[in-house]
Amino acid sequence: MRLRLLAFAAPLVLLGACGSAPKPDLEARAPQAAADTPYGMFLAGSAALNQGRSDEAARFLDMARLGSGDEALVTERAFTAALMAGDVERAAALAPDGPDASEPGKRMGRLVQAVEALADGKGKPAQALLAGDAIGFPHRSAAALLAPWAAAQAGDVEGSLVRPQVRGDTLVDYFGQLNQAYLFERARRFDEAETDFKVVTAGETPTELAVLAYGGFLERRGRRPEAVALYEAGLQRNPSGVALQAARARAAGGKAAPAPPTVKEGAALALLAPAATMIAAKQGQIGLAYLRLALRLDPQRNDAWLMVGDFLQAGGDVEGARAAYARPKPGSPEFPAAQAKLAWSHQLAGDKAKAVELARRAAASGDPDARLTLADLLRANEQYEEAVQILGGLIGESQTPDWRLYFARGSALTQMDRWEDAEPDLLAALKLRPDEPELLNFIGYSWIDRGERLQEAMAMVERAVAANPRSGAMVDSLGWAHYRLGDYKTAIEKLEQAVELDAGDPEINNHLGDAYWMAGRKDEAVFQWRRVLTLDPDAKIRADAEKKLASGLGPEAPKLAEQK
């Protein structure tokens, strides 16, 4: 039975860097024949930069720059490496300039210098660097959003209240107004601040940043009941929002209101939306650069650290990712998510014992999200009994359990061959989330695999496939339904499509072999079952494939259970 783990960790928020990552033995990685030459250092640094090893790249390229007779050759690469590694101060000193520097390098360099000036409290130089059109595409939006904060630091109150404008840029329109609201509050023009806050939180799906911003403003104005209502509305849209949960608890408990952002904190916040936009647009290097700049201004932005970790993890820099995930401190809203990501990084690296150890340590605090992460890791490591106990506790404690809790417990019970207990959980999840593709597929596949309620199951799987036509697992479920119904021709069509979508899945390949066999295509079936054994199948699938190969009899013909 194919079981999919749910992603229970808190959503990513933004990224930043980890200069604290352990330093590798750089010289050992350099091309041996040329490691002691400037050109060799340049090649090694360029390779490290291309592979996402920013700290290493910065070291090599700085050595190349110092030893090269043509300093301009490597200065721009060294600037980029320093920025990617999070050494913004160094990057500002290396900012490309002069006739030999590229125009994109100059634009980014000017933005970096402006942020470094803000970080040093030098508002007037920052304001000058951000003025005019010197920082053009693709950094115009980031510069426009930073400019009011630079004006505020320079003491130019009226300049700080000018809402930034970039023609056709809805991101600047929205987040420029959010920043303007903060700056109106800073200028003690509270009515105008509230007008802006109301605009950015209007509509059906305001951003969480805007809701938290307006809620904080209401708390500071002594209007806690309104703040609580605003946070609760946000939690109805996103029940798992940890920052919203913390804000609601604070406001409802009468605790001190959050302080408005300082100039540096506001400037860091202004960079988050452009960073997220660049990452979403597959401009990851620029997105990471913006996050590094945001963290130079506000090193305590845990959401940015989580995004940095995600970015580095995806790029293969596991140690750097772990260093980023380690930044949020216990007690912060982001700590459970950070610990979850840290534990999963060890799980993905094959260190399952360390992953569970970290998850247990976080879960000992009693935090529901941390306990959920532990349950998810236990399921991943086939420790279903304990996972079921944890999930049962979480369900029992919640007045309105999340559908995913029922789904997770139901999937664990299914794996324990306790279908009579699993089915009610899965149907409870379906009642709460009737259109969820993963859930529709899981229940449909479970019925199909058991030979039960096949017409209903097929309809569910068809809905799942319609929602996710590129999912090999879901297309496989549909093919397996046709197989169970004895329609081997259609089953083969669907299962071949599923293999194309997910060629390395041993269960899909095993299903295709069975369909080939039942259609009389026995040589192709044997090929598929042999392929299954090369794809690291679990014990059950391996045993099934080996049995069919050894006996030469193929699979048993499908037997349909009585329809319920």
Side-chain angles (χ1 to χ4, degrees):
M1 162 70 63
R2 180 187 303 102
L3 297 177
R4 282 209 163 41
L5 295 173
L6 300 173
F8 286 114
L12 318 183
V13 199
L14 296 143
L15 37 132
C18 29
S20 58
K23 298 293 188 292
D25 182 355
L26 303 182
E27 284 72 17
R29 293 197 186 183
Q32 200 61 41
D36 58 349
T37 69
Y39 184 60
M41 293 297 177
F42 174 74
L43 291 177
S46 296
L49 185 59
N50 289 336
Q51 295 167 15
R53 305 193 309 270
S54 302
D55 283 347
E56 185 177 339
R59 280 277 303 274
F60 275 131
L61 289 167
D62 213 29
M63 287 187 284
R65 185 182 63 83
L66 294 174
S68 174
D70 185 1
E71 189 171 317
L73 177 69
V74 291
T75 294
E76 191 164 334
R77 275 284 199 171
F79 159 77
T80 300
L83 180 56
M84 295 298 101
D87 190 350
V88 176
E89 184 177 7
R90 181 67 175 155
L94 293 171
D97 199 5
D100 295 331
S102 72
E103 192 58 34
K106 291 179 184 179
R107 292 172 182 174
M108 177 61 89
R110 193 176 182 91
L111 183 66
V112 169
Q113 288 178 326
V115 168
E116 184 60 24
L118 277 166
D120 286 342
K122 300 174 181 177
K124 288 185 177 179
Q127 190 177 21
L129 285 163
L130 293 166
D133 297 324
I135 302 178
F137 178 84
H139 310 301
R140 188 176 289 111
S141 298
L145 290 168
L146 282 173
W149 293 101
Q153 193 177 71
D156 180 5
V157 176
E158 290 305 315
S160 74
L161 299 177
V162 175
R163 185 171 158 191
Q165 301 274 331
V166 174
R167 182 179 296 178
D169 193 324
T170 56
L171 180 143
V172 172
D173 288 342
Y174 182 85
F175 288 98
Q177 190 159 21
L178 175 60
N179 291 336
Q180 187 185 51
Y182 275 130
L183 289 162
F184 270 131
E185 182 184 9
R186 180 180 178 82
R188 305 188 65 79
R189 291 165 61 169
F190 301 120
D191 289 344
E192 290 157 292
E194 183 159 13
T195 296
D196 277 343
F197 279 130
K198 284 182 175 178
V199 170
V200 296
T201 53
E204 295 183 0
T205 57
T207 65
E208 186 172 300
L209 280 175
V211 171
L212 292 169
Y214 187 21
F217 171 82
L218 291 172
E219 289 185 68
R220 290 188 289 274
R221 305 309 300 154
R223 295 156 60 183
R224 293 184 186 278
E226 293 175 68
V228 170
L230 186 68
Y231 298 142
E232 288 179 342
L235 285 168
Q236 287 180 356
R237 292 185 293 270
N238 178 23
S240 61
V242 291
L244 288 170
Q245 292 170 0
R248 187 203 175 283
R250 179 189 64 230
K255 296 181 180 179
T262 65
V263 166
K264 292 181 185 179
E265 290 169 345
L269 180 64
L271 285 168
L272 296 187
T277 299
M278 286 296 178
I279 292 168
K282 309 300 183 186
Q283 298 295 319
Q285 193 174 73
I286 296 176
L288 178 59
Y290 288 174
L291 289 164
R292 297 295 195 185
L293 295 176
L295 286 164
R296 174 70 177 110
L297 293 163
D298 183 6
Q300 306 308 313
R301 279 218 71 96
N302 289 335
D303 50 5
W305 282 114
L306 291 182
M307 286 189 72
V308 166
D310 292 331
F311 187 90
L312 297 177
Q313 178 80 31
D317 185 357
V318 176
E319 290 304 316
R322 290 175 184 171
Y325 293 147
R327 292 298 294 249
K329 299 297 185 288
S332 67
E334 297 83 8
F335 180 72
Q339 290 298 295
K341 291 173 182 292
L342 188 59
W344 275 106
S345 78
H346 285 278
Q347 175 76 14
L348 294 171
D351 191 351
K352 298 178 180 181
K354 181 66 173 178
V356 173
E357 176 192 340
L358 288 168
R360 287 194 191 283
R361 193 182 305 165
S365 67
D367 181 90
D369 288 329
R371 290 159 62 199
L372 194 51
T373 294
L374 175 58
D376 215 16
L377 277 164
L378 290 169
R379 290 193 304 125
N381 294 319
E382 301 182 0
Q383 299 178 45
Y384 302 112
E385 185 94 34
E386 186 179 357
V388 165
Q389 291 176 0
I390 294 170
L391 291 163
L394 290 168
I395 290 170
E397 293 167 15
S398 176
Q399 293 182 347
T400 55
D402 191 299
W403 68 273
R404 291 171 295 180
L405 295 175
Y406 286 117
F407 190 4
R409 189 170 69 175
S411 66
L413 289 166
T414 301
Q415 191 67 8
M416 295 167 69
D417 292 325
R418 291 171 55 184
W419 178 248
E420 290 185 358
D421 296 320
E423 191 174 32
D425 270 356
L426 296 169
L427 293 176
L430 186 64
K431 184 176 180 180
L432 293 169
R433 191 83 166 199
D435 298 318
E436 175 59 40
E438 286 285 349
L439 185 54
L440 288 166
N441 182 66
F442 188 95
I443 297 174
Y445 181 88
S446 298
W447 281 338
I448 291 163
D449 203 46
R450 294 173 62 81
E452 299 176 359
R453 304 170 70 159
L454 289 176
Q455 296 297 338
E456 183 181 355
M458 181 174 286
M460 294 171 73
V461 173
E462 285 174 341
R463 288 170 59 197
V465 171
N468 286 310
R470 301 293 300 170
S471 168
M474 293 183 185
V475 175
D476 169 66
S477 296
L478 186 55
W480 199 236
H482 285 288
Y483 176 89
R484 284 288 191 175
L485 288 170
D487 183 359
Y488 302 123
K489 181 177 182 296
T490 305
I492 288 172
E493 291 175 1
K494 296 299 180 184
L495 292 169
E496 286 179 340
Q497 181 184 350
V499 168
E500 288 177 4
L501 292 168
D502 196 351
D505 188 308
E507 187 166 20
I508 298 175
N509 282 272
N510 196 36
H511 286 167
L512 179 57
D514 289 3
Y516 280 149
W517 183 276
M518 299 306 296
R521 297 163 62 175
K522 296 186 177 182
D523 289 344
E524 292 167 279
V526 169
F527 175 84
Q528 287 301 132
W529 295 329
R530 286 175 176 164
R531 174 170 167 72
V532 166
L533 299 179
T534 70
L535 297 175
D536 193 26
D538 64 26
K540 184 177 180 180
I541 295 173
R542 177 178 291 278
D544 181 54
E546 289 176 341
K547 178 182 177 182
K548 289 178 291 195
L549 288 167
S551 70
L553 299 177
E556 294 182 6
K559 295 179 181 179
L560 304 188
E562 181 181 350
Q563 298 292 298
K564 296 181 181 179

